[in-house]
Amino acid sequence: MKQPNILVVGSMNMDLNLYGIPRISQFGESVGCEAYKYATGGKGANQAYAAALQGANVTMVGRVGNDHNGHSLITELERVGIHTGYVVADKNDQTGLATIMVDDLGRYFSYVSLGANNKLSPADVEKALSEMSFDMVLMQLEMPLETVYRTYELAKERNIPVFLDAGPAMNISLDRLKGIYIISPNEAETEALTGIAVENEADAMEAAKQLYERANTQYVILKMGSRGAFLYDGKTARMYPAYKVNAIDSTGAGDTFNAALVNKICLGESLDEAIQYASAAAAFCVTRKGAQISIPTAEEVEKFLQNQLITD
């Protein structure tokens, strides 16, 4: 079986995970939590890591600081076979840091200092695209917006499909992303882009139609957490229910979904099959704590799916 060649362009952060957060604190207030843990993360690095665990040949384009956290991030990616030759260790900036607060239901919110991620440039991306060939580009918004736009334009010039994970949540123009292969926001990101709070399937349809028309994309896939995923292709729509699991920590679940989906598409599987598989990978991810350390291998996802068939 051909091993997909996937280019991931995006952020690389060290994560500080705080668990057992009872509520969001007010200014001037300290709220206790149960435990904390450092872990390698960042939306770009997480997706590269997840794609590698799914069997893809992955190249990462990103920036870290020339510091302990940056070196740890690069080492961890290399440990799972990711090509890091296009990751720049910036001497003038710190590695990005994300503080991720997780409650007892596995839900999270985070604060991110992007650090060196803010210096990720179109030239960094062009170097990789000029020297290697890829089946798909996977990118996010946790980097300069001009780099997001130019990454798509550079890939389009080479006829490489691009998957945009539209996170973190922000309202951006989609004019320079017209024709993109897939755009996939979660609920908060969908509301930021469209102004529509996705409370039900009717809301999902309205938001998906808006994104489809604004980006002239081939597919819109809304990630709706425990409710599942919503697909719209301009003509038809389908809701894919989420697998029922005991969720501990949803950090990295969306990144896992994206990477698993892209890998399956590059392997030639239908979008329908790819979404169902990606949903299983994301469901498995939320049963463990952390971002990269919670991401399942292809073997673990297959076993999870087999168990689902037995219990059903």
Side-chain angles (χ1 to χ4, degrees):
M1 182 181 293
K2 179 180 178 292
Q3 191 177 26
N5 293 313
I6 298 172
L7 176 66
V8 178
V9 180
S11 59
M12 300 176 66
N13 298 322
M14 182 60 70
D15 291 347
L16 170 58
N17 299 292
L18 304 178
Y19 295 103
I21 301 295
R23 56 185 171 79
I24 300 174
S25 63
Q26 300 178 2
F27 285 110
E29 179 188 21
S30 295
V31 176
C33 62
E34 294 175 2
Y36 72 89
K37 187 174 186 177
Y38 286 97
T40 50
K43 295 185 72 64
N46 290 346
Q47 291 174 23
Y49 193 94
L53 290 189
Q54 289 301 309
N57 181 30
V58 182
T59 298
M60 180 78 208
V61 173
R63 282 195 175 238
V64 296
N66 187 22
D67 50 32
H68 176 75
N69 286 343
H71 299 155
S72 296
L73 281 159
I74 292 172
T75 298
E76 188 62 15
L77 293 186
E78 291 176 344
R79 186 182 67 81
V80 294
I82 295 169
H83 176 42
T84 62
Y86 300 104
V87 175
V88 177
D90 196 315
K91 297 179 179 179
N92 299 315
D93 288 280
Q94 293 174 298
T95 298
L97 178 70
T99 304
I100 301 170
M101 282 70 109
V102 184
D103 70 9
D104 291 332
L105 297 177
R107 301 172 301 182
Y108 79 93
F109 65 94
S110 65
Y111 296 99
V112 182
S113 176
L114 288 178
N117 292 305
N118 276 322
K119 299 292 179 65
L120 183 56
S121 71
D124 296 331
V125 182
E126 187 166 18
K127 189 173 190 295
L129 286 171
S130 298
E131 296 178 357
M132 300 181 67
S133 60
F134 300 98
D135 298 308
M136 194 173 298
V137 173
L138 175 55
M139 66 176 181
Q140 319 78 35
L141 300 178
E142 210 167 45
M143 57 182 167
L145 194 53
E146 179 61 23
T147 303
V148 172
Y149 291 139
R150 281 298 294 151
T151 294
Y152 171 59
E153 291 163 354
L154 289 165
K156 186 178 180 181
E157 291 170 5
R158 295 163 172 80
N159 296 313
I160 303 172
V162 177
F163 182 111
L164 173 65
D165 169 21
M170 61 181 75
N171 184 12
I172 66 168
S173 170
L174 300 178
D175 290 345
R176 289 177 63 184
L177 297 173
K178 287 188 180 298
I180 196 167
Y181 180 49
I182 294 175
I183 182 169
S184 181
N186 66 17
E187 295 155 300
E189 295 152 6
T190 298
E191 185 172 1
L193 282 168
T194 67
I196 299 169
V198 183
E199 303 289 347
N200 49 52
E201 287 190 39
D203 295 334
M205 187 68 179
E206 183 181 356
K209 281 185 175 180
Q210 183 189 135
L211 291 173
Y212 181 87
E213 292 168 0
R214 284 172 56 195
N216 191 29
T217 183
Q218 292 189 44
Y219 301 101
V220 175
I221 302 174
L222 306 184
K223 298 185 288 285
M224 297 171 62
S226 61
R227 289 181 288 177
F230 185 87
L231 169 68
Y232 180 67
D233 66 1
K235 296 180 181 178
T236 60
R238 177 177 174 182
M239 185 73 192
Y240 293 81
Y243 291 92
K244 302 302 180 184
V245 296
N246 180 27
I248 295 174
D249 182 359
S250 60
T251 308
D255 298 328
T256 299
F257 178 94
N258 297 336
L261 180 70
V262 166
N263 187 63
K264 286 297 184 181
I265 293 173
C266 289
L267 287 171
E269 296 196 15
S270 70
L271 192 56
D272 179 73
E273 294 172 319
I275 292 176
Q276 293 186 60
Y277 180 91
S279 297
F284 191 101
C285 178
V286 303
T287 64
R288 301 193 290 208
K289 288 184 177 181
Q292 290 177 18
I293 57 176
S294 71
I295 295 171
T297 63
E299 291 75 18
E300 288 175 319
V301 179
E302 292 294 347
K303 186 175 181 179
F304 174 85
L305 285 168
Q306 289 170 9
N307 290 336
Q308 292 292 313
L309 290 174
I310 293 171
T311 55
D312 290 346

